[in-house]
Amino acid sequence: MAHPGVLSPAGRDLAIAAMSGVSGEGELDVLVVGGGVVGAGVALDAVTRGLSVGLVEQRDLGSGTSSRSSKLVHGGLRYLEMLDFGLVREALQERGLLLTRLAPHLVRPVPFLYPLTHPVWERAYVGSGLVLYDSMAAFGPLSGLGNSGLPRHRHLTRRGVARIAPDFRTDTITGAIQYYDAQVDDARLVTTLARTAASHGAHVATRVRVTGFVREGERVVGVRARDLEHGRDHEIRARVVVNAAGVWTDEIQEMVGGRGALHVQASKGIHLVVPRDRIRSESGFIVRTETSVLFVIPWGRHWIIGTTDTPWSYDLAHPAASRTDIEYVLEHVNAILREPLDHEDVEGVYAGLRPLLSGESEPTSKISREHTVVTPVPGLVMIAGGKLTTYRVMAKDAVDAAGHSLSTTTNIGLRPSITDQVRLLGADGFETRSNQRVLLARRSGLHVARIDHLLGRYGGMIDELLDLIAERRSLAAPLEGAEDYLGAEVVYAVGHEGARHLDDVLARRTRISIETFDRGVSAAPGVAALMAAELDWSSDRVREEVDHYRRRVEAERRSQAMRTDQEADEARVSVSDLV
C-alpha cells in the first residue's frame, strides 16, 4: 500500500480502486469534485472529522484558478474600504493561522509600500485604516494575544521611500506607508493540502473527469467518472458529493439539473513576471488603478506584477492574456518606476480566472469575494466564491453542509472542524531543520542557498529530498535551463506529489514556465527524461510530452500578441491538453 500522504502513480491507481468500490471499501461518506485549493481544503476538513473521503480532479491539482493567483495571503485592504469588516477579519485570522501554525514553511511575510500623494488627509485616512488592519490581525480569536506573525505598519517620508525603493518615482508622492501581508506559492499550497488529506486517509486522484451524476430518485448518490489516463469509466458512490469546481460550477449544475442555484462569473486577472534586478527595491508596492489594484510583489529572484479584473467568457481551462492586458499592466507599473519596463523585460505571463458569485449587473471588480454554500438537490453540496486566503473557512462551511445532508440519511454524527489545528505536511520539523540549515548543507554537499530553497518549498519534508540525493547523487545537479531547481525536485514531484505530465512539473510543481525567458522550453527535455524513468515513458511518449509543451508555449506567445480576448483565446486553444 502507498505510504500515507504520498501521491505516487501506484497510489493514484489504489485511490481510484478504493473510490469505485473495486477494493471493497464501500460507499464514501463524501466525494469532492475539484482539486483546487477549496476542494483540497474540503477533503482535509472532512477526513479529519472522521469521514471517508475521495477527491477527483479532471486535470492536475491546482491547475485552474488555484495556480494563477497573485500568490498573496492577505486580508484585503480594499474590502476594508468597502466596510466589509467581517470578510477582512476572517481573512486576517486565516493569514495568521497559516503564517504561525498551519504552514509556516509555505507562507511568509512580504512588505508593501502604499504611496501617498496628499500630505495630511490621505496619510491620516490610510494610516487609520492600517491601524485597524493590524489590530484586527493581532487580536483575532485565533491569533494569540497581540501577535499577528507580522511587523506592524510604519510611516515613511519621501526620502524614506527612496532609501527602500530607489527605482520608485518619488516626484509625485509625499511619502508612503509600509505594511506587511503574506505570500504563498499557491500551487504548492494546493498540492500540500491534498497530500495532507491523503496522509489522513483521503483518496485523491487527478485526471479523473466527472461525466454525470448517479441518482436514486431526487437524491444524488455518486458520480460517473472517466479515468483519462487509462480510458476507463467508473461509478463512484458517495453519501454526499461536494462540488468545488470553481469557475466550472455552472457546468456541474447543468449535469444535475440544478441550474440557477449558483451563478459564477469568471473574472480574468493577468500577471507579469520580471527579473528582480529590473526593479531596485526592498519592498513590494500597491497602487490603485481605475478598475482594480496594481501589486508589484517580490517573488524570490523575480517580481510578480498584476493584476487586471475583466469579465471572461471564453475557454475556462486556458484563459489567455492579450497584448492589451499586458500593455495595461506595463503602463500602470511604469507610471511609478524611474526606469520603465518593456515587453523584453517580461519573463513570464499568466492569466487566471476568479470564480465570482454573480447575479447583479455590476462590474467584476465590485462583486464581493464572499462565498456561498448551497444544496440544490439532496446529496449534492455546491460551494463557490471566496478567495485563496479563506479556503479553510470555505471548506469548513461546505463540510458542515455535507454533515447536515448526512444526518438526514445516516446516523453519522459530524464532529467539529479541527483544521485550525492540523498542520500541513512539512510544517512539523520546519523550524528545527531551518536552524540546522548549515549542518544540512555540510552533510548533503549542497550550498546553503539550495537548502534554503528546499526548506521554503518542502519544509520538514526536506529530509525526503536529501535522501533522494544521497541515493542518486546525479539528482543534486541543477536542471539545465532552469538552474534554480534540482533534478531531485522533478523525481519527487512524480513519486510523491502526483505529477503526471510535463506541464504539471514545469507549470505547477515548479514555476519554471513563468520564471525563465524561454518559458521552460530548454528545460523541458531534461525534465521529461527524469519523469520518463519514474513513469516508464517510451521514447515516443517523451517526444510527445516535449513537443506538446513547446507547442503550448508557442500558443501562449501567439495569444499574448493578440489585441482582443477573442483573438487571444483562439490562439491559445489551438493546443489542447494531453490526455
Side-chain angles (χ1 to χ4, degrees):
M1 185 172 179
H3 189 274
V6 173
L7 302 182
S8 64
R12 176 183 180 275
D13 293 340
L14 288 170
I16 293 173
M19 287 188 285
S20 59
V22 173
S23 58
E25 293 195 23
E27 186 179 34
L28 296 168
D29 292 324
V30 174
L31 174 68
V32 184
V33 178
V37 70
V38 177
V42 170
L44 178 59
D45 189 280
V47 76
T48 54
R49 295 207 213 184
L51 303 177
S52 60
V53 178
L55 182 151
V56 293
E57 159 59 41
Q58 67 174 336
R59 295 168 65 223
D60 181 33
L61 293 170
S63 57
T65 302
S66 296
S67 61
R68 303 173 188 175
S69 73
S70 297
K71 312 191 191 317
L72 293 176
V73 177
H74 64 131
L77 276 177
R78 66 171 172 161
Y79 301 112
L80 194 61
E81 191 171 26
M82 293 176 187
L83 305 182
D84 200 341
F85 298 118
L87 182 62
V88 176
R89 184 185 299 108
E90 180 179 85
L92 288 172
Q93 175 177 292
E94 294 306 308
R95 185 192 72 179
L97 275 173
L98 285 161
L99 265 169
T100 62
R101 185 188 302 173
L102 304 183
H105 57 310
L106 299 178
V107 181
R108 52 190 60 87
V110 59
F112 286 102
L113 293 175
Y114 190 109
L116 304 171
T117 56
H118 299 278
V120 180
W121 73 264
E122 189 181 25
R123 188 178 289 275
Y125 177 70
V126 176
S128 61
L130 283 165
V131 167
L132 181 59
Y133 195 70
D134 286 346
S135 299
M136 291 169 73
F139 293 96
L142 298 178
S143 64
L145 187 63
N147 175 30
S148 68
L150 294 173
R152 294 180 68 83
H153 73 279
R154 60 179 180 139
H155 288 257
L156 298 169
T157 63
R158 185 187 297 173
R159 185 177 296 177
V161 172
R163 280 196 299 267
I164 292 173
D167 279 349
F168 191 95
R169 284 184 57 187
T170 57
D171 55 316
T172 60
I173 66 170
T174 61
I177 301 179
Q178 186 178 54
Y179 75 100
Y180 283 79
D181 258 317
Q183 70 179 173
V184 67
D185 183 330
D186 46 11
R188 180 144 296 280
L189 174 64
V190 175
T191 299
T192 306
L193 279 167
R195 289 190 61 192
T196 306
S199 75
H200 292 289
H203 306 295
V204 177
T206 60
R207 296 310 197 290
V208 176
R209 177 183 295 149
V210 170
T211 57
F213 287 92
V214 180
R215 307 281 286 267
E216 288 182 357
E218 282 297 304
R219 189 174 187 85
V220 168
V221 295
V223 303
R224 293 184 297 278
R226 185 165 183 80
D227 176 356
L228 300 176
E229 295 283 315
H230 300 301
R232 298 177 190 142
D233 293 313
H234 298 274
E235 185 175 286
I236 302 175
R237 307 277 294 194
R239 295 179 176 90
V240 180
V241 176
V242 177
N243 172 51
V247 293
W248 285 271
T249 295
D250 288 8
E251 292 184 11
I252 298 292
Q253 284 186 142
E254 287 181 21
M255 287 185 192
V256 78
R259 186 173 178 82
L262 285 177
H263 179 60
V264 171
Q265 183 172 339
S267 171
K268 183 178 67 168
I270 78 123
H271 296 79
L272 312 182
V273 182
V274 302
R276 192 65 177 266
D277 63 8
R278 299 303 195 272
I279 304 173
R280 291 179 300 156
S281 178
E282 299 169 14
S283 178
F285 318 129
I286 174 175
V287 295
R288 294 175 181 274
T289 68
E290 314 90 88
T291 59
S292 186
V293 174
L294 181 78
F295 286 102
V296 182
I297 307 164
W299 178 255
R301 302 203 308 171
H302 315 268
W303 294 97
I304 292 176
I305 306 171
T307 179
T308 56
D309 197 344
T310 55
W312 178 261
S313 57
Y314 300 100
D315 183 69
L316 297 177
H318 304 292
S322 68
R323 187 175 182 87
T324 302
D325 293 328
I326 295 168
E327 289 178 349
Y328 171 89
V329 174
L330 286 174
E331 176 188 350
H332 283 82
V333 74
N334 285 339
I336 63 172
L337 296 178
R338 293 185 185 277
E339 295 293 330
L341 301 172
D342 60 30
H343 289 272
E344 285 66 41
D345 293 309
V346 176
E347 288 177 290
V349 180
Y350 65 93
L353 300 178
R354 305 176 187 90
L356 301 182
L357 289 170
S358 184
E360 310 240 353
S361 57
E362 54 185 335
T364 57
S365 59
K366 301 291 186 183
I367 297 175
S368 173
R369 300 299 299 277
E370 290 186 271
H371 63 275
T372 296
V373 179
V374 298
T375 304
V377 294
L380 176 65
V381 171
M382 307 192 77
I383 182 164
K387 61 178 184 173
L388 179 79
T389 305
T390 55
Y391 79 85
R392 193 191 66 83
V393 177
M394 296 176 68
K396 173 185 176 298
D397 290 350
V399 178
D400 284 346
H404 178 73
S405 186
L406 285 168
S407 68
T408 64
T409 57
T410 69
N411 60 359
I412 295 175
L414 188 66
R415 294 177 178 271
S417 174
I418 60 169
T419 51
D420 60 322
Q421 304 168 49
V422 178
R423 302 189 89 196
L424 304 191
L425 289 183
D428 289 335
F430 169 61
E431 294 85 357
T432 299
R433 288 293 179 263
S434 295
N435 288 342
Q436 297 172 336
R437 54 195 285 275
V438 175
L439 180 63
L440 292 175
R442 192 161 60 238
R443 287 177 176 172
S444 65
L446 297 176
H447 193 279
V448 173
R450 292 286 186 192
I451 296 297
D452 290 341
H453 163 85
L454 295 175
L455 282 166
R457 286 168 52 75
Y458 307 97
M461 294 186 292
I462 189 175
D463 294 348
E464 297 176 3
L465 275 293
L466 297 181
D467 287 346
L468 268 178
I469 289 170
E471 293 168 11
R472 297 163 57 183
R473 192 63 204 173
S474 62
L475 296 181
L479 295 174
E480 184 177 349
E483 287 74 18
D484 286 350
Y485 298 92
L486 303 179
E489 296 179 79
V490 176
V491 172
Y492 191 81
V494 174
H496 292 71
E497 298 179 337
R500 303 287 297 177
H501 291 279
L502 187 55
D503 279 9
D504 300 347
V505 172
L506 292 175
R508 287 172 290 277
R509 303 306 182 278
T510 70
R511 290 317 183 107
I512 293 169
S513 67
I514 59 172
E515 293 177 346
T516 56
F517 276 105
D518 72 352
R519 314 282 173 95
V521 168
S522 61
V527 171
L530 288 167
M531 295 182 71
E534 307 304 310
L535 291 167
D536 197 26
W537 285 350
S538 66
S539 57
D540 286 345
R541 175 64 184 275
V542 170
R543 281 192 295 274
E544 181 185 19
E545 290 276 345
V546 172
D547 178 65
H548 174 268
Y549 186 78
R550 286 175 174 157
R551 289 187 293 109
R552 174 201 137 158
V553 169
E554 290 168 2
E556 286 178 347
R557 288 191 185 279
R558 285 196 303 274
S559 71
Q560 291 156 18
M562 301 298 175
R563 284 288 173 188
T564 68
D565 279 353
Q566 182 176 346
E567 291 170 325
D569 175 69
E570 289 171 356
R572 178 58 188 91
V573 300
S574 63
V575 178
S576 58
D577 289 336
L578 277 178
V579 292

